[in-house]
Amino acid sequence: MKQSFFIFLIVLLASACTTKNGYTVEGRIENAEGTTVYLQRMDLNQVVTIDSTQLNAKGNFEFSGERLTEPTFFLLKLSEQNYITLLADTTETIVINADGKHLEDSYELKNSIGSVYVQILNRRLRKLNDGIDKLIKDYKKLDKKDNETAKQLETQYQNLIQEHKDFVGEFIMENPRSFAGYYALFQRLIDNSYVMNVMDKQDQVYFATLGTSLNLFYPESDRAKHLYDFVLKVKTKQQQAKLTEVMLSNAEASGFPDIEENDITGEKVKLSSLKGKVVLLSFWASWDEPSRKENNHLKKLYSKYNKSGFEIYQVSLDRSKVLWENAIKQDELPWINVSDLRYTESYAARLYNIRQLPANYLISKDGEIIGKNLFGNRLTEKLDELF
């Protein structure tokens, strides 16, 4: 009996030593027997396939690799649409049980706190996107004159976003060394826009906190370097924007600060590309009722003067690409519409010191600002005078 116990102890110790030398990802995937499962590493700029294996008759699989020098993201994948994201560390043995029909909805985890964090974040994001999807469907069904309901839906939309942002912020503050926080900062909504906005003052605190912490504890990590440099560049850009705001006070004599943002097709359009035309630089948002009303007046002026050299370069302070695009189509806006989808932290809005909506600047053919916040009859009279 002593000999049996000794043999068992040797086996146990040998197993422990093997585990310490590397990580393992193992488990069982039901309803996918005979299917090939892949383990892929998610580097900063690419996804690399590490290994693959065919699930046996019971759906079992096992992958192993050398000890990880830093927390590492992996994909356990059956297909491009059917996979789960893992966050492994050092010598973890991650155990997974899942249904192959839909891995993301069914998988259970053991032995990896980082992977559990990612699972929680993904489930919360799906809940957020499901809520947003419902609101967008309701929004699209609205009569375009039903501004009251549209405003209520927009408020609900912003509340859903804020609840998720609050959760992410709390998570990062409680886990400042976790790479799961990095994952949370770059989660995307169903329209592919980011949930967290580094230009937002509160969100930037979370970016900066995590960037500083990860850079301190993982100075050689590509992700830690990326986040730290990303925040540094944003802060530098904001300082430059403040200097430009000072320049703007003398814009009537020196021209206008240029803007280059994406239109609804993703193409970048420069404000300066319109030089030689009379341009109305207009700021609005799909959720702002006065903006939508002002657009009706602008459509009349655009129809009257566009062929004579009048153009509108309109900057949206939206966050949702879907709601922004839908408002453009619903209101049938024919001019240039751009946005960086940063809501009230829009770079262009900060550059031009926008404090309320709608807002506008009128720019002459020579590129000089000749009017500010001209609406209704005042704008009509000014354009009549110019043309």
Side-chain angles (χ1 to χ4, degrees):
M1 190 170 179
K2 286 183 179 179
Q3 187 177 12
S4 297
F5 175 77
F6 181 72
I7 292 172
F8 172 75
L9 184 60
I10 291 175
V11 171
L12 185 64
L13 289 172
S15 174
C17 290
T18 301
T19 301
K20 287 182 180 179
N21 289 331
Y23 69 89
T24 302
V25 180
E26 63 183 27
R28 181 183 179 191
I29 301 177
E30 298 179 349
N31 299 315
E33 296 81 2
T35 304
T36 300
V37 60
Y38 300 87
L39 184 69
Q40 298 179 325
R41 188 182 69 240
M42 298 173 66
D43 294 342
L44 186 60
N45 297 311
Q46 63 180 341
V47 176
V48 180
T49 298
I50 302 300
D51 201 355
S52 65
T53 187
Q54 191 174 51
L55 297 172
N56 65 21
K58 293 183 179 180
N60 293 331
F61 68 91
E62 181 177 335
F63 298 108
S64 60
E66 296 180 357
R67 181 187 180 96
L68 300 170
T69 58
E70 64 180 74
T72 303
F73 288 99
F74 289 103
L75 295 178
L76 186 70
K77 180 184 290 186
L78 290 179
S79 70
E80 291 302 318
Q81 290 74 40
N82 194 10
Y83 62 87
I84 59 177
T85 306
L86 305 171
L87 178 55
D89 196 8
T90 57
T91 59
E92 290 180 334
T93 298
I94 306 175
V95 180
I96 301 161
N97 288 298
D99 188 331
K101 292 179 179 179
H102 201 295
L103 294 178
E104 182 67 31
D105 288 339
S106 64
Y107 78 105
E108 297 177 352
L109 282 164
K110 291 181 181 177
N111 307 333
S112 176
I113 187 64
S115 298
V116 170
Y117 284 156
V118 170
Q119 183 182 41
I120 291 170
L121 289 165
N122 279 336
R123 287 179 174 174
R124 288 191 68 97
L125 182 66
R126 286 203 306 277
K127 182 180 178 182
L128 170 63
N129 277 326
D130 287 345
I132 288 175
D133 186 51
K134 182 180 181 306
L135 289 176
I136 289 173
K137 287 177 180 176
D138 291 343
Y139 185 87
K140 288 182 175 180
K141 292 176 185 176
L142 285 181
D143 185 298
K144 63 180 182 180
K145 295 181 180 179
D146 191 356
N147 292 319
E148 185 59 36
T149 305
K151 199 169 184 178
Q152 291 174 4
L153 291 175
E154 179 63 30
T155 299
Q156 292 176 46
Y157 173 88
Q158 300 299 345
N159 288 342
L160 283 176
I161 296 285
Q162 192 57 51
E163 286 175 12
H164 188 87
K165 286 159 74 87
D166 290 343
F167 174 80
V168 170
E170 185 176 345
F171 174 84
I172 287 172
M173 290 306 184
E174 291 179 356
N175 303 277
R177 300 182 190 178
S178 175
F179 275 77
Y182 179 99
Y183 185 83
L185 288 175
F186 293 99
Q187 283 183 307
R188 294 175 184 261
L189 298 173
I190 51 177
D191 62 4
N192 210 36
S193 60
Y194 291 109
V195 184
M196 305 297 286
N197 177 10
V198 70
M199 300 299 290
D200 180 281
K201 290 181 181 179
Q202 184 55 57
D203 290 3
Q204 194 175 103
V205 171
Y206 306 136
F207 278 90
T209 298
L210 191 67
T212 301
S213 179
L214 293 184
N215 191 59
L216 177 64
F217 289 97
Y218 302 97
E220 299 305 315
S221 165
D222 287 342
R223 278 195 171 82
K225 291 176 183 176
H226 167 258
L227 184 56
Y228 187 84
D229 291 343
F230 178 66
V231 175
L232 190 62
K233 286 178 182 177
V234 168
K235 288 186 174 181
T236 301
K237 194 174 182 179
Q238 288 177 327
Q239 290 173 349
Q240 291 172 344
K242 287 180 180 179
L243 292 175
T244 310
E245 285 180 16
V246 176
M247 291 168 54
L248 189 61
S249 62
N250 299 318
E252 284 79 0
S254 61
F256 60 89
D258 202 6
I259 299 170
E260 183 180 32
E261 299 291 359
N262 290 339
D263 63 13
I264 59 174
T265 68
E267 293 293 323
K268 288 191 176 295
V269 183
K270 275 190 175 185
L271 176 59
S272 59
S273 69
L274 304 175
K275 192 169 182 179
K277 296 183 178 182
V278 173
V279 180
L280 185 72
L281 172 59
S282 168
F283 293 86
W284 77 300
S286 68
W287 44 265
D288 182 62
E289 185 177 348
S291 293
R292 303 289 287 270
K293 287 182 178 179
E294 178 62 19
N295 280 344
N296 288 329
H297 178 65
L298 292 181
K299 283 168 69 176
K300 296 175 184 177
L301 295 175
Y302 191 80
S303 177
K304 184 177 181 180
Y305 290 117
N306 176 242
K307 291 182 180 180
S308 300
F310 175 55
E311 189 55 77
I312 297 176
Y313 185 96
Q314 195 165 52
V315 180
S316 166
L317 271 62
D318 276 275
R319 173 156 44 206
S320 166
K321 191 171 189 287
V322 174
L323 295 181
W324 172 45
E325 288 182 351
N326 191 67
I328 291 172
K329 292 174 183 177
Q330 195 176 47
D331 292 357
E332 299 177 337
L333 306 181
W335 48 72
I336 298 167
N337 229 304
V338 301
S339 180
D340 58 14
L341 298 174
R342 290 175 176 171
Y343 191 42
T344 52
E345 290 299 313
S346 159
Y347 173 70
R350 292 170 63 88
L351 187 62
Y352 278 85
N353 198 28
I354 302 304
R355 300 294 180 215
Q356 62 182 26
L357 295 177
N360 64 46
Y361 287 86
L362 189 63
I363 302 171
S364 73
K365 292 180 179 181
D366 297 323
E368 305 296 336
I369 293 178
I370 55 176
K372 179 180 178 181
N373 289 337
L374 302 174
F375 303 108
N377 290 334
R378 290 179 62 209
L379 179 58
T380 301
E381 290 170 1
K382 186 66 176 177
L383 291 179
D384 287 343
E385 176 188 326
L386 291 172
F387 290 102

